[in-house]
Amino acid sequence: MVSKRNAASATGTLSMEYFFPKKARSKGDETDVRSDMKDFWAAHSNDATVESMMFDTKASTLTEMESKEIMSMLPNIEGKRILELGAGIGRQTRLFAEKASHVTAVDFIETFVEKNRQSNGHLENVDFIQADVTKLDLPEQSYDIVFSNWLMMYLTDDEVLKLFINTLTWLKEGGYTFFRESCFGKAGDFDLGENNPTFYRLPSQYNALFHSAFLPGKKDDDQSRGFEIIFSKTLQTYVKVRHSHNQICWLLQKKRIAEYRGYITFQAFLDNQQYAKKSIPQYERMFGEGSISPGGLERAKECIKMLALKPGQKVLDVGCGIGGAAFHMAETYGVEVLGVDLSCNMIEIAMERAAASKTENLQVQFEVCDVTRRDFDPNAFDVIYSSHMIVHIADKSSLFASLLKWTKPGGKLLISDYYCGNPEDHSEDFKEYVKQRGYTICTTAEFGELLSSAGFINVKVEERTKQFTEILRSEKKRLQEKKESFVKDFSAEEYQNILSSWDNKLKWSEAGHHRLGVFYAEKPE
């Protein structure tokens, strides 16, 4: 449970100034920004067409495709109350109204509101409001879902944070918010001129903002409320039509905040500790480009060969990190890969690299999600691959049951991960390391039994600890040989921290505490 005081301190651990340096936090005060935004839209909204609203000559094609995709991502809207912010001319309003009990459609551009009213005003379960969302005043806990599409990129950082806090207020307990924004750069092909005031944030900036929004507990319930991420992913319509990976959407749920070691969520713990922004480049320097796992991409390739992948197969990469293995599978074998990871920082890097890729028809996408809460369709994947992620999961039985459900009959599962020797023999410093990392580590026998109990067959376990020890020695040697460049790019302190960490891992692997294995299994036909 997080008290009012602890919630505030937990928010502080997210280092807002780290994500938003003062120099880059806004383009002026909020009054000037709001004026700039109104002038910008006044110049682009006279005809209220879908092309002018989306700034894209392919707007009609995009609308038809993306509306279906977006609707497929939402939780069940049947009989729900929906608040649609930035509703525009009503591209989604009618679709919501067909199933929802009530829709409140809000936009601050008069011509857009009128166009929406002309198209959907005959629907008895829709209200239309022309208002600035920064000044919107609505009853508490009055909506099941708050939806916004291309809205926050027209607000300052402080306005976005306030909107997230207001959204928590408007949502019912357990309610959801879905939002989609252009990240990294603009979406359409219109020339918006030099005075385009839009904020094209990084995904990590939105993540920091919604993680920093919370409602303090009350006297009758002192537990604070905040957002828990269900997923964040790239809109595939734009990948297919515009070859653009910059359209990012999020689904969040209003939840009681369960503190994890001083952080609002386990995700926040990961992104501020093991997978902090400053740590990921250091790991990649140690493990090699595209990887944050022992042995780097070469070892991943060795494991992936065991799967005998075939073109057209669908692969789920659980704990994909910065995407090295996912890119390799898609580029080398012609498979379609979905990489998922709980770390916002790592997925952002993977998304950036996907956007920069020159590979034609690259069938890879990335998603931030808690795989223990995500639910894919049964029999959705031919292969599920995971590297050094299962060690983070406490309830492995439930996860393996989900992996089995998502795998097609006859499909394959391959896991490369840490395991341990006899827990009774563990040294105190190894126990402390496992605790600090948040690992739930088990023996090979326990790991194999969990897979069999979940329903997998042909379970095979390969001991790779000797290889792990050799990899650690090689990586340590490479670090020492490149000490000068490492210290230059990072610091002498970070160099010593990494070196000490590798010394400890070597000590524990040689003692049989810290081990590495490959676990293969199949789903019955």
Side-chain angles (χ1 to χ4, degrees):
M1 180 171 70
V2 180
S3 66
K4 297 179 186 179
R5 178 182 60 82
N6 288 336
S9 64
T11 300
T13 62
L14 290 170
S15 304
M16 288 294 287
E17 290 300 328
Y18 176 74
F19 285 98
F20 304 97
K22 290 181 180 179
K23 183 179 178 181
R25 289 199 70 176
S26 66
K27 300 179 181 179
D29 63 40
E30 292 182 3
T31 301
D32 290 341
V33 170
R34 185 60 49 242
S35 176
D36 290 342
M37 293 298 181
K38 287 182 178 179
D39 291 343
F40 173 74
W41 277 105
H44 292 91
S45 61
N46 288 333
D47 55 0
T49 63
V50 67
E51 286 78 14
S52 63
M53 191 183 70
M54 295 177 66
F55 304 133
D56 202 306
T57 56
K58 293 185 177 181
S60 296
T61 299
L62 289 165
T63 291
E64 183 178 355
M65 293 175 63
E66 77 166 16
S67 291
K68 293 178 181 178
E69 183 179 359
I70 287 173
M71 292 298 290
S72 72
M73 297 184 205
L74 296 177
N76 181 20
I77 67 171
E78 194 78 40
K80 305 297 184 182
R81 291 181 57 83
I82 298 177
L83 173 62
E84 184 185 9
L85 301 176
I89 62 176
R91 293 190 303 144
Q92 299 292 138
T93 305
R94 177 183 57 80
L95 297 177
F96 291 150
E98 289 175 353
K99 295 184 178 181
S101 64
H102 188 271
V103 179
T104 303
V106 181
D107 203 281
F108 83 122
I109 301 298
E110 183 178 1
T111 54
F112 288 171
V113 175
E114 287 308 309
K115 184 66 174 289
N116 194 358
R117 185 179 281 111
Q118 290 172 17
S119 301
N120 299 305
H122 64 286
L123 301 172
E124 296 181 356
N125 61 337
V126 180
D127 285 337
F128 303 91
I129 300 176
Q130 181 190 350
D132 186 331
V133 297
T134 64
K135 300 177 175 61
L136 201 56
D137 186 16
L138 298 168
E140 293 185 12
Q141 300 193 43
S142 53
Y143 293 96
D144 300 284
I145 298 171
V146 175
F147 176 94
S148 72
N149 198 11
W150 282 329
L151 169 67
M152 298 181 197
M153 59 193 197
Y154 302 113
L155 306 178
T156 67
D157 301 327
D158 288 339
E159 287 172 339
V160 172
L161 179 57
K162 290 174 185 176
L163 180 59
F164 277 131
I165 294 171
N166 286 340
T167 298
L168 283 169
T169 303
W170 299 330
L171 281 172
K172 298 177 182 179
E173 289 292 325
Y176 295 88
T177 184
F178 178 98
F179 68 99
R180 172 272 197 95
E181 301 295 337
S182 295
C183 296
F184 311 119
K186 71 184 184 75
D189 58 358
F190 276 27
D191 181 1
L192 301 180
E194 296 181 358
N195 297 320
N196 176 10
T198 311
F199 294 91
Y200 299 115
R201 296 179 176 88
L202 298 176
S204 59
Q205 292 175 305
Y206 285 111
N207 296 330
L209 285 163
F210 75 69
H211 273 311
S212 298
F214 69 93
L215 297 179
K218 300 179 180 179
K219 288 183 179 180
D220 57 340
D221 182 356
D222 69 346
Q223 193 164 8
S224 300
R225 268 61 170 180
F227 284 119
E228 184 171 280
I229 188 168
I230 305 301
F231 65 73
S232 171
K233 59 192 298 186
T234 304
L235 200 63
Q236 290 302 291
T237 293
Y238 273 77
V239 176
K240 294 174 182 177
V241 177
R242 283 291 181 201
H243 306 292
S244 171
H245 291 255
N246 74 334
Q247 295 303 296
I248 315 298
C249 49
W250 284 259
L251 180 64
L252 313 176
Q253 186 175 23
K254 178 180 176 179
K255 300 277 288 186
R256 287 179 170 83
I257 296 173
E259 183 181 10
Y260 187 90
R261 300 185 185 182
Y263 294 87
I264 287 179
T265 62
F266 178 58
Q267 181 186 54
F269 166 77
L270 285 178
D271 277 334
N272 285 270
Q273 290 291 321
Q274 186 172 355
Y275 303 125
K277 280 203 164 187
K278 69 174 184 178
S279 301
I280 295 173
Q282 295 172 15
Y283 283 133
E284 192 172 18
R285 183 71 62 88
M286 288 296 298
F287 297 128
E289 185 177 354
S291 180
I292 57 165
S293 299
L297 196 53
E298 289 307 310
R299 183 174 175 276
K301 292 177 181 179
E302 174 190 327
C303 293
I304 290 167
K305 280 184 179 180
M306 299 171 63
L307 292 167
L309 296 172
K310 299 177 182 178
Q313 287 185 320
K314 293 187 177 182
V315 180
L316 177 65
D317 185 350
V318 180
C320 66
I322 56 178
F327 286 119
H328 169 70
M329 288 187 281
E331 293 169 350
T332 304
Y333 296 97
V335 295
E336 182 179 333
V337 185
L338 171 59
V340 299
D341 204 288
L342 186 60
S343 168
C344 300
N345 292 339
M346 290 198 289
I347 289 295
E348 179 175 300
I349 292 172
M351 286 179 171
E352 286 179 330
R353 292 179 182 180
S357 174
K358 302 300 182 182
T359 303
E360 292 187 12
N361 301 316
L362 182 64
Q363 296 294 303
V364 62
Q365 60 177 301
F366 298 98
E367 176 180 325
V368 176
C369 75
D370 181 346
V371 74
T372 65
R373 297 196 60 210
R374 192 73 165 91
D375 191 17
F376 297 103
D377 292 335
N379 309 322
F381 301 98
D382 298 281
V383 170
I384 296 182
Y385 170 80
S386 181
S387 178
H388 300 84
M389 176 272 179
I390 308 298
V391 71
H392 290 287
I393 305 300
D395 186 0
K396 294 177 176 35
S397 295
S398 295
L399 176 60
F400 289 163
S402 294
L403 298 184
L404 182 76
K405 182 181 75 170
W406 302 335
T407 307
K408 293 180 180 180
K412 302 172 183 178
L413 170 70
L414 185 70
I415 298 171
S416 174
D417 219 322
Y418 298 130
Y419 70 97
C420 66
N422 186 351
E424 295 180 359
D425 298 333
H426 291 173
S427 61
E428 291 303 316
D429 56 349
F430 180 66
K431 291 178 183 177
E432 181 58 32
Y433 166 77
V434 170
K435 179 181 178 181
Q436 187 274 328
R437 289 289 196 183
Y439 290 164
T440 300
I441 199 163
C442 60
T443 65
T444 50
E446 292 168 337
F447 210 113
E449 178 58 34
L450 287 169
L451 288 171
S452 296
S453 298
F456 285 101
I457 61 172
N458 298 329
V459 176
K460 299 175 184 177
V461 179
E462 290 190 12
E463 162 75 41
R464 297 290 181 91
T465 304
K466 183 177 179 180
Q467 181 188 33
F468 179 41
T469 303
E470 292 171 353
I471 287 170
L472 288 170
R473 291 190 182 122
S474 175
E475 289 168 345
K476 177 184 174 182
K477 181 180 179 182
R478 184 166 66 245
L479 175 66
Q480 291 172 320
E481 290 173 346
K482 297 183 178 181
K483 175 181 178 180
E484 185 176 344
S485 63
F486 190 98
V487 170
K488 179 182 178 181
D489 293 339
F490 302 106
S491 70
E493 180 182 5
E494 295 294 346
Y495 170 83
Q496 193 56 51
N497 288 340
I498 292 285
L499 186 62
S500 296
S501 176
W502 257 246
D503 282 337
N504 283 328
K505 290 179 182 180
L506 269 169
K507 177 180 66 176
W508 296 325
S509 68
E510 290 169 347
H513 306 333
H514 200 0
R515 301 187 178 189
L516 182 65
V518 175
F519 307 87
Y520 173 89
E522 298 173 354
K523 180 173 179 176
E525 292 281 358

